[in-house]
Amino acid sequence: MSDGLEGVIAAETVLSEVDGQAGRLVIRGLSLDELAGNTTFEQAAHLLFDGFFEDLPQDLAPALGRARAEVFGEVSAMGDGLPALGPVEAMRALTARLPDGDDLATALRLLAAPAVFTTAVLRAKAGEQPVAPDPKLGHSADILRMLRGRSASSQEAAALDAYLVTVCDHGLNASTFAARVIASTRAGLTSAVLGGISALKGPLHGGAPGPVIEMLDAIGEPDNARVWIENALDHGERLMGFGHRIYRVRDPRADALKKAVRRMSEGSNVLPGRLAFAEAVEAAALAILKERKPDRSLDTNVEFYTALLLEALAFPPSAFTCVFAMGRVAGWLAHSREQLAGGRLIRPDSRYVGPEPRRAA
Ligand code: COA
């Protein structure tokens, strides 16, 4: 038995490889450095879906645009109750309205769903009408338009593409494993994606970037960083945005996202200062974690610069996990199809350590 299944290989995949010692992420034979910043989300999803759907079109963008328009029909079912839920719960509830299935049409609806539903939920929470998708736009440009009700700059759309591509797949992480387990029962892609969303929601997985903003706001200025961090660790808290189950060096996604933030900060009045502050907090956190946990290599993970990037794109911290789902859904779908193509029902064993039944006298 391995606690947390650490080190257990539970699937073979052609989709991605996470090399925790080298700090390297490979997606279908391409390194993250090659992909992030040079690829749209649609291209990355195509890369992941390739070979898993017979009818996959060469260009996924028009089909994904049509799928956004199709799922937007479900937004009218939001009613009075859903906006009262948290953004992940509300987005998940709308996604649960989609029919189950294993085909490309189902996959495209699910690829579109977190984007369309999250933006509609956020607008409803702010008392605003949802903005219908524009199927002709790229996915990232349309997400920002549906969020704000006005067009985004090409720089902003490129930054969101860089983010969605950076997080689109990452080995057998907890939400992808959950999706594969569900897919292995032949329940259907919608069920698998709902499982993925639910696993992603937890703060130890995809729920961390919101708390990163809380931490930065609580620290306030660089000079407060050391005292604040020491105090948090003294109280047994974990620093959000640091540490990883697999990476024993820096998470390569942290640098891909920092690069995207830096690119976006050209021409911004606010972002360079925010970035410099975050770098100061990061440096203090890394130094303190090294002092306190010399045997455990704790470094910056994907969530730290995710927080900065999504904040700069005007997503509220409460919805950061939803934006993570907009990207990772591509990986959940590809892994589910891979599981269906060759995998058996996933059904491990447990060791019983409870009391034995009492014998009849
Ligand atoms: N801050 C402070 N201490 C941390 C830490 C963090 N972010 N991450 C790990 N540690 C410490 C643990 O307290 C533990 O110390 P102990 O052995 O004295 O109890 C040790 O490092 C190992 O932790 P462990 O829980 O075994 O690591 P893990 O591999 O199971 O956990 C995470 C990985 C991601 C869950 C963990 O690093 C974490 O909680 N990070 C913060 C949340 C986060 O950023 N999540 C996003 C992940 S992409």
Side-chain angles (χ1 to χ4, degrees), residues 9 18 25 29 56 76 103 130 142 167 189 197 201 220 229 304 357:
I9 294 171
V18 182
L25 169 60
L56 192 68
S76 59
D103 57 352
D142 207 19
V167 301
L189 295 176
I197 294 170
K201 179 172 172 279
I229 292 167
F304 194 76

Side-chain angles (χ1 to χ4, degrees), residues 69 89 137 333:
E89 283 101 332
L137 287 180
L333 290 164

Side-chain angles (χ1 to χ4, degrees), residues 237-250:
E237 288 173 30
R238 289 187 178 199
L239 299 180
M240 291 295 144
F242 298 90
H244 198 271
R245 172 61 62 80
I246 308 278
Y247 292 117
R248 289 293 159 248
V249 292
R250 199 175 165 81

Side-chain angles (χ1 to χ4, degrees), residues 204-205 238-243 245 293 296 298 301 303:
L204 297 192
H205 187 8
R238 289 187 178 199
L239 299 180
M240 291 295 144
F242 298 90
R245 172 61 62 80
K293 305 256 178 222
R296 180 96 194 169
L298 294 172
N301 68 40
E303 307 283 28

